[in-house]
Amino acid sequence: MRTSLPRRTVLAVPGSSQRFIAKSRLLDVDAVFLDLEDAVAPGAKAEARDRIVTELTDPAGWTAPCVTVRVNDWTSAWTVSDLTQIVGEAGDRIDAIVLPKVTGPDHVRATDLVLTQLEREAGWTPGRIGIEAQIEEAHGLLNVAAIAASSPRLVSLVFGPGDFMASMGMGGLSVGSQPAGYPADAFHHALMTILVAARAHGLQAIDGPFVGIRDLDGFVASARKAAALGYDGKWVLHPDQVDAGNEIFTPGEAVLDRASRIVEAYEKAVSSTGGFTGAIEVDQEMVDEAGVKLASTLLAKARRAR
């Protein structure tokens, strides 16, 4: 299943840069997306499409197990051309399309319909290419539940902090950083709303980028907040962010050991051998079915990361 592929670290790579694409091939990230949108100037879109097709069809491939392409959004002039060329010429080399600035379910459905036609034309079973929907604006956040339910192709919902900050009129110019002057987490509502919609529909939830590529402490703080909420991963922009991202979104050994003890102790307790006991004590804490679900979720996330 596409949703089983880990996305602890998702590397953004400008589709117009052969140098950056070459560097991305060997980085220890879970996913790479080749960008046709924000990282590519309007006058370079067509050339970037050609370059991405060439790079995708290169037998060298990527270390990352998941390779995707971010197309331009549906308010632009390039979406259909992006999809037609990338999928038509190299669709067998990608796992999903990253769809930016999704404000409603129609954006996802339109992408689904175009992908279906392209897959049929190529002789593939419709549905093989996934969609990752970026929630970046006020309307997108208001409609996120409907977006999450809009297509079986959906793999993940991705928070886009830059456009979201602009949409909200937030202060600050550093994408992914907390705006100065606000004492709480300015992104908490957006992150939690996206997470709830994702989980309700069996999707992964991915946090967006932290653009301070020399501020590793800032990246770590941002990633830890998202991981604590339950996010599956985060976009990375620089090799220095990769190791930290992989570690933060992988449950630690101590946590996994305790989760395993909880599951094993509870399975024994609820059996006939354990006297069908429904609540037990593990590490001086009461554990019942709810606690076991939490432990099992952590173990499943760890298995996916490995």
Side-chain angles (χ1 to χ4, degrees), residues 18-191:
Q18 194 278 330
R19 180 169 67 92
F20 284 129
I21 293 173
K23 286 185 175 181
S24 75
R25 291 186 182 276
L26 298 177
L27 288 179
D28 186 26
V29 292
D30 286 338
V32 167
F33 78 84
L34 306 179
D35 194 15
L36 281 169
E37 198 217 11
D38 285 350
V40 178
K45 301 287 188 184
E47 181 182 352
R49 281 191 219 112
D50 292 339
R51 182 176 299 281
I52 286 176
V53 167
T54 298
E55 297 292 342
L56 285 171
T57 53
D58 188 320
W62 276 266
T63 299
C66 180
V67 178
T68 67
V69 174
R70 180 164 74 165
V71 298
N72 289 278
D73 74 278
W74 279 107
T75 66
S76 77
W78 304 292
T79 319
V80 172
S81 296
D82 290 346
L83 291 169
T84 301
Q85 183 169 355
I86 298 301
V87 176
E89 298 181 28
D92 59 334
R93 305 300 179 93
I94 63 174
D95 296 287
I97 291 293
V98 180
L99 185 64
K101 297 179 177 62
V102 177
T103 59
D106 287 351
H107 286 180
V108 177
R109 291 177 187 137
T111 307
D112 190 332
L113 288 170
V114 174
L115 288 175
T116 296
Q117 291 191 4
L118 291 169
E119 288 168 338
R120 284 175 174 162
E121 186 176 356
W124 304 328
T125 301
R128 66 176 300 277
I129 297 174
I131 297 174
E132 305 194 44
Q134 279 191 271
I135 309 301
E136 305 185 73
E137 301 176 5
H139 283 101
L141 192 62
L142 284 176
N143 295 324
V144 68
I147 291 168
S150 60
S151 169
R153 290 184 187 269
L154 276 169
V155 177
S156 71
L157 299 180
V158 183
F159 177 50
D163 283 285
F164 184 79
M165 292 171 75
S167 175
M168 296 295 103
M170 287 184 180
L173 295 173
S174 184
V175 173
S177 295
Q178 294 293 318
Y182 186 66
D185 184 347
F187 304 133
H188 180 79
H189 171 72
L191 287 169

